[in-house]
Amino acid sequence: MDENDDCKLKVYSKRNKRAPVFITDFSHGEVKSNKNGLKFECYKKDTSVNNVGCDATRELFATNGRLNYTGSSSQSALKYFVGVRNKETGKMKLYDCVLFRMKPDLKNVVGSSEPVIPKSYWEGMNELTQQFGSKAKKRALNTLQKCTVDASLDKSLTVNDSILCSSPDRQVGDDIQHQIDYLPPQDRNAPVPSEVFDINDIISPEEDVALAQEAQDLLIAPAAQFNEKRSSFCKYVTARFYNIDATKAKLLLYYNYLIFFQRLRYNDIRKKDPTPLIPNPHKKNMLEKFTLSSSSDKGRVSRTCPNQMKDKLVAYILVLALFIDNFKINLDEIQMELNNVGVPKLKTIAEVLGCYTGKNKIGEEVVSFAELRLPLNEVKPKFSKKPSSRKF
């Protein structure tokens, strides 16, 4: 209808003697009916039997054969009309209408024999956050839901289980203390330290092939090219990258990639290509192994690296360093190139890995070390102090 078009309104003269038009509004959105379509039935209360107009109190029922809907006519001081305009004459007739707010009748669901379990407080809060929360809260909720697993699925925690033991600072009992989600798989009954961890759990076969080719190209490169590449490594790798064989070169190259990945900032993780200096397949595997992805309502994918993933990355770095340095590592040397990780944190993770920690004096300097030897270190749970009896 254009702004310049004239329109004459005409109210139906016998409006009180004719049933009004029914307009329905479904609370949960658009209803997709079955092949037979929705069937409606309308009832009036006994006090409104002789009342035909809008003032009658009506109940409207609808069903599609599987789910029932109910709605009541709203009693409002406002009057609602439906207009029908004749394009030729420009006249519009107004008809009374009644609004019905239709809600699903969950108490009488067809074929449902299971009782409706009331939602907990936190389930309700999560639903509100999902519907009305900010982008940051929705992102945090998606991350939490991905990290949460029903503990009843398995009594013992495995590498891919929930985050009940997601931090090394959280003490656990003797029965589950060795099965924490951020640890690489380990065999605590291994006869020698070299068999406690499997290097194939740290470096995938696909990555091993790529590292072998990269190490071979580097070892046969001219001296100038070799020295240039060697100077670009982290200090830990640079100090060890001389007079080595191809196997150790692969381990050092992968250690260098892990250090670069661990140094990534929050804004780097959220970029489309967080690590341009790390080639594939290492980049792809590290992003899948040490980050979490979530998608928004608009389909936008965001990536995060929560604390349990950061601990997992540090644990993999320590295990790889154990293979490089014959299962005795200098924690101070490793800590210098890590981002926001202190030596006490490294000691905690190393002890959970089964290492013994302590200090050695090298010349005039005292350094912290971790050594993997048999029998493996057993981490004893620490019990909290008794609560204070002071009255408030």
Side-chain angles (χ1 to χ4, degrees), residues 10-287:
K10 181 180 179 181
V11 181
Y12 191 73
S13 59
K14 299 180 180 180
R15 46 190 299 233
N16 293 328
K17 298 182 180 180
R18 184 172 180 174
V21 179
F22 291 174
I23 296 180
T24 59
D25 176 28
F26 289 87
S27 62
H28 65 291
E30 181 180 357
V31 176
K32 295 182 180 179
S33 60
N34 58 11
K35 296 181 180 179
N36 297 326
L38 284 171
K39 296 181 180 180
F40 291 88
E41 293 182 357
C42 182
Y43 299 90
K44 290 192 298 183
K45 290 187 176 181
D46 294 339
T47 56
S48 304
V49 172
N50 298 324
N51 194 345
V52 182
C54 296
D55 296 333
T57 303
R58 294 178 172 89
E59 294 287 338
L60 186 64
F61 297 89
T63 180
N64 62 354
R66 183 180 62 87
L67 188 62
N68 299 328
Y69 304 88
T70 61
S72 302
S73 58
S74 57
Q75 299 292 336
S76 174
L78 301 176
K79 299 295 182 181
Y80 298 94
F81 299 91
V82 173
V84 181
R85 179 177 178 268
N86 190 324
K87 292 184 178 180
E88 296 180 357
T89 62
K91 295 181 180 181
M92 177 180 289
K93 290 184 179 181
L94 297 183
Y95 298 89
D96 292 281
C97 69
V98 180
L99 302 181
F100 292 91
R101 179 69 169 173
M102 306 297 292
K103 297 181 180 180
D105 186 8
L106 300 179
K107 296 181 181 180
N108 299 313
V109 178
V110 177
S112 177
S113 59
E114 298 181 358
V116 179
I117 302 176
K119 296 181 180 180
S120 65
Y121 170 78
W122 288 112
E123 289 176 340
M125 291 296 295
N126 289 343
E127 286 191 0
L128 290 176
T129 301
Q130 194 66 37
Q131 294 294 330
F132 308 104
S134 62
K135 293 182 178 179
K137 289 186 177 181
K138 288 182 179 179
R139 185 166 57 248
L141 178 60
N142 290 335
T143 302
L144 176 62
Q145 290 174 345
K146 287 187 176 183
C147 294
T148 303
V149 179
D150 188 0
S152 63
L153 296 178
D154 193 351
K155 293 183 180 179
S156 62
L157 294 177
T158 59
V159 177
N160 296 321
D161 275 340
S162 67
I163 57 171
L164 294 177
C165 301
S166 60
S167 173
D169 296 330
R170 183 179 297 177
Q171 301 300 329
V172 295
D174 290 332
D175 55 341
I176 58 172
Q177 62 178 338
H178 305 305
Q179 297 177 338
I180 303 179
D181 66 336
Y182 64 82
L183 297 183
Q186 59 180 172
D187 181 9
R188 300 190 68 87
N189 298 321
V192 291
S194 60
E195 296 182 7
V196 174
F197 297 98
D198 187 353
I199 192 62
N200 294 320
D201 293 325
I202 308 298
I203 303 175
S204 66
E206 182 184 13
E207 292 175 301
D208 185 73
V209 173
L211 289 172
Q213 184 62 44
E214 186 177 354
Q216 182 181 359
D217 296 341
L218 185 58
L219 292 176
I220 64 176
Q225 183 179 350
F226 177 84
N227 292 331
E228 181 182 359
K229 183 68 175 179
R230 180 171 170 266
S231 61
S232 65
F233 296 148
C234 63
K235 294 181 180 179
Y236 179 93
V237 175
T238 302
R240 291 162 176 78
F241 213 93
Y242 61 90
N243 296 331
I244 57 174
D245 55 14
T247 300
K248 193 167 185 178
K250 291 191 302 181
L251 301 182
L252 289 171
L253 288 173
Y254 196 71
Y255 182 94
N256 188 68
Y257 290 141
L258 287 178
I259 292 296
F260 281 0
F261 193 89
Q262 199 276 336
R263 290 176 178 174
L264 294 178
R265 304 286 183 176
Y266 172 78
N267 292 332
D268 296 328
I269 292 291
R270 295 174 58 84
K271 293 180 180 178
K272 185 177 181 179
D273 185 5
T275 57
L277 298 179
I278 300 179
N280 280 321
H282 316 303
K283 179 194 303 184
K284 177 183 177 182
N285 289 341
M286 289 180 186
L287 290 174

